[in-house]
Amino acid sequence: MDDDKEYYYRRAEYELEMAQRTEVPEAVKAHYTLAGYYLDKVYNDEANAAAPSLP
C-alpha cells in the first residue's frame, strides 16, 4: 500500500472509531460519511481496475 492509501486507511479507521465514541447522531453520521470517503480513496482504484469495461 503506498503512502497515500495508508494515510487514507488510517483516517478511515480514526473516523470509524470516532463514530463509535460519539452519542450525537449528526456527528455519528458525519464520521461514517468521512470514513466512507477515505475508504473510497483506498479501494476505488482497485475496484475500477477489477471492473470489466463496457463496450
Side-chain angles (χ1 to χ4, degrees):
M1 190 179 303
D2 65 6
D3 289 340
D4 289 339
K5 287 187 179 187
E6 186 175 330
Y7 167 79
Y8 294 135
Y9 188 81
R10 284 195 323 264
R11 284 301 309 262
E13 286 190 334
Y14 172 78
E15 293 299 338
L16 292 172
E17 181 180 326
M18 293 305 296
Q20 293 173 356
R21 288 184 176 190
T22 189
E23 295 179 13
V24 179
E26 294 85 359
V28 172
K29 182 178 179 180
H31 286 299
Y32 279 127
T33 299
L34 287 170
Y37 289 142
Y38 285 123
L39 289 172
D40 280 345
K41 297 286 265 179
V42 173
Y43 294 109
N44 195 28
D45 290 341
E46 294 171 14
N48 287 336
S53 59
L54 299 174

